[in-house]
Amino acid sequence: MDGMHGFSRRQVLGSLVTGALALGLTACGGGASNSSGVDKNGVVTISVNGLPPKTQTVDRKNFEEDVAAFEKSHPKIKIDAREGLMDPKTFSAKLAGGQLEDVYYVYFTDPAGLIQRRQAADISKYVKDVPYAKDIDPSLQKVFTGPDGKIYGLPTGNYSLGLVYNRALFKRAGLDPDAPPATWDEVRTAAKKISALGDSTVGYADYSKNNQGGWHLTSWIYSMGGDVATQDGSKWKAAFDSDAGHKALQMLHDMRWTDNSMGTRQLLEIADVQKMMGAGKLGMYMAGPDNIPTIVKQFERKYDDYGLAALPGTATLGGGDGFMFNPKASPEKIKAGLTWVQWKYLRSPERDAVDSARAKADGVPIGLPQPRLFAGATQAKIDEIRAKYANTPVGNYKPFIDRNSQVQTKVEPPNAQQIYTILDGVMQSVLTKKDADIDQLLKDASKKVDSVLATVK
Amino acid sequence: MTAQDLSPAPVLTSHDTTKATKTPAAPGRLARRIRENLVAYLFLGAGVVLFAAFSWYPIVRGVLLGFQQVTFAEPARWVGLDNFRRLFDDPLFLTAWKNTGYFTLLALVFGFAAPFFTAVVLNELRHGRAYLRMTVYLPVMLPPIVTMLLWRWFYDPGPGLFNKALGVFHLPALQWLESENLAMISLVLVSTWANMGTTTLIYLAALGGIPGELYEAAELDGASVRQRLWHVTLPQMRFILMITLLLQVIGTMQVFVEPFVLTGGGPNDATVTVLLLLYRYAFVYNDFGLASAMSTLLFVVLGLFAGVYLRLTRTKG
């Protein structure tokens, strides 16, 4: 109980040590390396992420082979490959601690915020020298373009949401797996028939948790011909309190409560739904083509079990991924990083042929309808190569390919994650409350989204 | 406070030591004292360094961040009370505090009474005590995520254990996590189940410390079981009950894993808690200024409870 009146020597000593330490730490915290990353031999070392974990043996082996091949053909660049992709939970900490890779992976939801917070380097003046960069689909490149017109990254993957469905359940429910639903009414009818099989089989499932409900509701609203946010001059406003928003929620409500074709368990997220699909208990859900290999791998299913249809309606939500550059990276590192991203991800048709041959030998899926990064002749050449090496049942994706070009692909709204949090609530209300007041829900959420959009610059 | 605490003897002793250190020491003496206690200072230093680096510095930095706009790409910008203003503008801010308060209240109703009665019952048992103690403590040893997934299955409105059990008694199935009214109660049940083992052990230890003579005397006076509980057990445990109550308030106000895994804050924001909202600010919206402002507020509120806790333990100790 000493030290209650005045300080003992121990306390003074302790405080001094603490103070000195705190100062020392503060001094360390702000230190950022400004080195160009070029050694005396002119070799530039760049850190990149995207190295697959050791558990994914084939992917990792291929990645390491690629690094070796790249370093051989580019002797002036050394790759320091690290595991992991963009993780919003650690991104800021890595940036603050000087641990962020020079070249880092992002989803399409990230660039707008990263650009606004100046957490990505402007690469405009280097991009023009990148081979095939000019062939990239302009709508995808736009995601990495700032409001100032400058370019902050390159897209390397893309998807648009369609309907993944279980072909076996379709057959059992008396539906034709080669002619999946093309309208929401047909989805509703098919879902009813599939749930009628009983034994906890669910006709259609959708997400409503951890921002994923809002993400999918956005696609629902797009498909009904509506918008989530629209720009009016320089200002953004919520736009889903509309006929489209109403129709989307009414359809979900009817499937959940009138038809009972969406199961009883709600507050689902992607992993839950994939599990239902992997267990053969789900008829359909909204997803991009990349979900199929995930389910097949994770639940040891066959590619033949799954089909893919385009999303009913007039539009769908598109997304994807790409690479951005550390705002503290030197011009040399950015140039080297761009060389790597182009070589590894924006493959030339020639390299795609090599990759496809290897992928086929390793059993890596080829023949899924996406990603399609390029526009015009370059993409046509790549499609040709992939068709040659396809090792997935391409016919199962025909319904997607046939109609997807008629469905407009729209990008995510600005401040997407905040908006999705709000729309999660709307999705939850409709799926968990039989007497949900759709008009009121849309009105309330619209007001909230307006306040989120007020901060968009 | 017992009579012993008021006795002058220990105060005098500590006073003497203080006096001794305050006496101006000759330079040689100070050096000798340091040399003699070098090992002790090294141990102390290591502790201070670790605390400073991993506890105090983050706390101070966290508070400062609450008054800054940070992107980590550029130097932080001071924004005064802006972050706090933005917090109060968020319609979910009040909801989160209300929900957290509600969770804490429910956790007290379930979580405070349950371990006490479990401990009393376990203490009275003649057989299988060790086994039952272990069983009660078992959930504490499970990793939280395992607990959550297990309970998710219990709560599943389709093939879940609870609804199956209700079905046996011809009772209607409940929407445990999907109903706005039930979701929070369901989370409290998980939390109580997962955490009551530790509190039960503390109570058992406290019960073991109650002198047997008191019960014997009460029995001789013809006190019933209920009377013994009321007149002997409760007064003897009053202090420990007060401490666990405060610790429980501090602990439950930081509820995160349960809503994060089981409901994601839903349905309809019914289970958005302060920490869940803080998590969203920091790791979904990447707004560390806002998240830090929120954590500073939580820190202040919890600090008040911690202050009461310290005061109580100090008086007692």
Side-chain angles (χ1 to χ4, degrees):
Chain A
M1 273 231 189
D2 61 341
M4 279 190 61
H5 311 285
F7 297 104
S8 72
R9 181 168 289 142
R10 268 177 211 197
Q11 280 175 315
V12 173
L13 191 75
S15 315
L16 284 176
V17 173
T18 319
L21 214 114
L23 279 174
L25 280 174
T26 321
C28 296
S33 144
N34 278 322
S35 76
S36 63
V38 186
D39 70 7
K40 56 182 187 308
N41 301 320
V43 176
V44 57
T45 304
I46 48 166
S47 52
V48 305
N49 60 14
L51 175 69
K54 282 181 182 139
T55 45
Q56 295 174 15
T57 39
V58 175
D59 296 338
R60 189 169 173 112
K61 180 199 77 168
N62 288 347
F63 195 98
E64 282 167 347
E65 274 176 22
D66 281 350
V67 169
F70 177 80
E71 286 181 339
K72 207 174 161 197
S73 59
H74 299 79
K76 292 283 181 201
I77 303 174
K78 226 177 127 38
I79 302 286
D80 168 13
R82 296 177 192 171
E83 276 182 27
L85 303 169
M86 161 77 180
D87 182 358
K89 293 182 207 66
T90 54
F91 180 84
S92 292
K94 280 167 93 175
L95 182 58
Q99 299 292 312
L100 183 69
E101 291 83 3
D102 298 316
V103 182
Y104 63 87
Y105 176 98
V106 287
Y107 294 106
F108 275 14
T109 28
D110 306 320
L114 293 168
I115 294 167
Q116 196 180 328
R117 292 191 295 273
R118 300 175 201 286
Q119 291 172 326
D122 169 15
I123 58 165
S124 312
K125 59 180 168 192
Y126 313 108
V127 160
K128 58 183 186 306
D129 302 325
V130 176
Y132 296 100
K134 62 175 187 335
D135 296 336
I136 295 173
D137 185 336
S139 69
L140 304 179
Q141 188 58 65
K142 208 178 138 201
V143 176
F144 292 88
T145 309
D148 50 8
K150 289 176 179 161
I151 295 173
Y152 292 88
L154 288 176
T156 53
N158 72 314
Y159 70 81
S160 53
L161 289 172
L163 278 180
V164 170
Y165 61 97
N166 183 320
R167 291 175 60 90
L169 280 184
F170 261 60
K171 263 183 236 164
R172 272 180 53 206
L175 298 157
D176 179 2
D178 293 323
T183 65
W184 283 114
D185 285 329
E186 285 171 25
V187 170
R188 192 176 164 183
T189 314
K192 256 197 279 193
K193 284 186 181 162
I194 294 164
S195 342
L197 293 170
D199 193 23
S200 338
T201 308
V202 173
Y204 177 86
D206 221 323
Y207 319 148
S208 50
K209 197 171 87 173
N210 292 341
N211 290 12
Q212 297 176 6
W215 170 43
H216 269 198
L217 183 56
T218 299
S219 192
W220 269 91
I221 293 167
Y222 287 172
S223 87
M224 297 290 184
D227 257 315
V228 165
T230 46
Q231 201 168 10
D232 180 15
S234 64
K235 278 192 173 164
W236 284 85
K237 274 186 79 66
F240 54 82
D241 185 5
S242 62
D243 191 33
H246 204 277
K247 266 202 281 190
L249 292 178
Q250 192 63 52
M251 178 66 81
L252 279 161
H253 185 268
D254 290 348
M255 278 162 63
R256 166 70 181 93
W257 299 105
T258 313
D259 307 345
N260 291 319
S261 62
M262 288 186 71
T264 43
R265 185 152 79 95
Q266 300 303 328
L267 304 183
L268 303 170
E269 56 187 330
I270 188 162
D272 305 313
V273 174
Q274 285 177 339
K275 202 163 105 191
M276 287 160 77
M277 198 45 127
K281 293 285 182 199
L282 174 63
M284 297 168 277
Y285 77 108
M286 193 189 278
D290 61 326
N291 271 238
I292 295 175
T294 307
I295 296 165
V296 169
K297 259 195 245 173
Q298 213 166 334
F299 303 99
E300 296 178 1
R301 309 299 295 202
K302 288 197 201 88
Y303 278 98
D304 291 327
D305 295 345
Y306 302 102
L308 181 70
L311 199 71
T314 51
T316 183
L317 177 66
D321 45 37
F323 284 88
M324 295 179 90
F325 299 79
N326 192 320
K328 292 168 186 164
S330 65
E332 291 83 358
K333 283 189 171 195
I334 292 176
K335 273 187 239 170
L338 275 168
T339 312
W340 161 251
V341 170
Q342 188 274 316
W343 186 91
K344 167 95 177 107
Y345 301 97
L346 292 174
R347 300 179 182 94
S348 61
E350 303 78 51
R351 273 213 64 232
D352 206 80
V354 178
D355 278 356
S356 297
R358 177 177 71 181
K360 189 173 182 177
D362 289 333
V364 174
I366 309 170
L368 291 163
Q370 282 170 341
R372 288 169 61 89
L373 280 174
F374 298 102
T378 309
Q379 188 61 48
K381 245 188 245 172
I382 289 174
D383 286 348
E384 214 174 279
I385 294 161
R386 289 196 186 157
K388 195 174 134 197
Y389 289 99
N391 58 3
T392 50
V394 186
N396 289 4
Y397 318 134
K398 199 172 172 297
F400 180 86
I401 295 162
D402 285 351
R403 223 179 60 80
N404 201 45
S405 54
Q406 300 153 32
V407 183
Q408 189 198 351
T409 304
K410 290 163 83 165
V411 292
E412 284 158 302
N415 283 10
Q417 296 298 354
Q418 276 111 311
I419 294 179
Y420 292 166
T421 311
I422 296 165
L423 293 183
D424 256 5
V426 177
M427 199 77 163
Q428 286 165 5
S429 290
V430 168
L431 295 179
T432 63
K433 271 163 77 176
K434 196 172 183 176
D435 58 352
D437 181 347
I438 292 176
D439 291 331
Q440 195 60 43
L441 280 172
L442 286 169
K443 216 166 114 188
D444 291 347
S446 193
K447 218 184 282 170
K448 288 184 198 165
V449 169
D450 273 338
S451 73
V452 165
L453 288 170
T455 62
V456 177
K457 288 178 193 114
Chain B
M1 191 179 272
T2 61
Q4 214 182 359
D5 287 326
L6 293 171
S7 70
V11 179
L12 260 181
T13 329
S14 81
H15 190 65
D16 280 350
T17 12
T18 325
K19 237 184 184 172
T21 50
K22 274 183 183 165
T23 319
R29 222 174 127 199
L30 178 67
R32 208 184 64 226
R33 280 183 63 90
I34 292 178
R35 225 184 8 257
E36 275 171 5
N37 294 312
L38 194 63
V39 178
Y41 279 127
L42 280 177
F43 274 104
L44 181 73
V48 167
V49 167
L50 288 176
F51 262 109
F54 297 110
S55 244
W56 303 329
Y57 173 68
I59 291 173
V60 173
R61 186 79 200 269
V63 173
L64 293 182
L65 282 178
F67 298 92
Q68 293 177 332
Q69 193 190 53
V70 274
T71 65
F72 298 112
E74 294 171 335
R77 206 159 54 82
W78 291 94
V79 292
L81 291 172
D82 255 19
N83 288 328
F84 291 90
R85 257 179 238 128
R86 283 169 57 215
L87 271 186
F88 293 121
D89 283 345
D90 185 340
L92 271 184
F93 177 78
L94 264 187
T95 314
W97 281 99
K98 268 191 220 153
N99 287 345
T100 308
Y102 182 46
F103 182 92
T104 308
L105 197 77
L106 284 175
L108 289 185
V109 174
F110 293 106
F112 192 59
F116 179 70
F117 284 105
T118 314
V120 169
V121 169
L122 279 179
N123 200 42
E124 293 298 320
L125 283 181
R126 296 275 174 270
H127 303 288
R129 222 156 105 177
Y131 168 76
L132 282 170
R133 266 186 204 196
M134 198 193 71
T135 323
V136 170
Y137 194 69
L138 208 62
V140 180
M141 293 192 276
L142 285 179
I145 197 77
V146 175
T147 306
M148 296 309 137
L149 293 176
L150 185 72
W151 277 75
R152 211 176 156 176
W153 170 67
F154 289 171
Y155 283 146
D156 195 306
L161 183 78
F162 288 171
N163 279 349
K164 280 263 174 0
L166 288 175
V168 172
F169 300 104
H170 302 287
L171 290 168
L174 291 176
Q175 299 287 101
W176 295 94
L177 295 171
E178 284 83 356
S179 140
E180 267 173 75
N181 301 326
L182 260 185
M184 196 59 106
I185 297 170
S186 305
L187 295 189
V188 171
L189 286 179
V190 184
S191 168
T192 305
W193 182 84
N195 300 314
M196 69 180 274
T198 313
T199 327
T200 307
L201 282 194
I202 294 173
Y203 289 157
L204 271 172
L207 282 170
I210 300 175
E213 305 91 75
L214 291 178
Y215 288 106
E216 278 166 30
E219 264 177 72
L220 283 177
D221 287 344
S224 65
V225 175
R226 201 174 54 83
Q227 280 171 326
R228 269 178 280 156
L229 185 73
W230 188 253
H231 293 291
V232 181
T233 313
L234 276 177
Q236 286 290 319
M237 300 230 342
R238 206 184 53 182
F239 175 70
I240 201 85
L241 283 171
M242 186 63 85
I243 296 303
T244 47
L245 177 81
L246 277 165
L247 285 179
Q248 179 135 3
V249 170
I250 295 171
T252 50
M253 284 197 82
Q254 297 181 63
V255 56
F256 173 72
V257 186
E258 289 86 353
F260 181 69
V261 179
L262 292 173
T263 59
N268 323 318
D269 302 329
T271 56
V272 172
T273 60
V274 170
L275 232 60
L276 189 75
L277 192 60
L278 199 156
Y279 172 87
R280 279 186 196 165
Y281 288 149
F283 300 115
V284 182
Y285 310 155
N286 256 305
D287 196 331
F288 285 82
L290 206 56
S292 301
M294 186 75 155
S295 69
T296 304
L297 285 184
L298 185 64
F299 184 73
V300 170
V301 172
L302 294 183
L304 291 178
F305 286 105
V308 177
Y309 170 81
L310 280 178
R311 181 138 287 259
L312 273 175
T313 44
R314 186 173 291 168
T315 329
K316 183 76 185 179

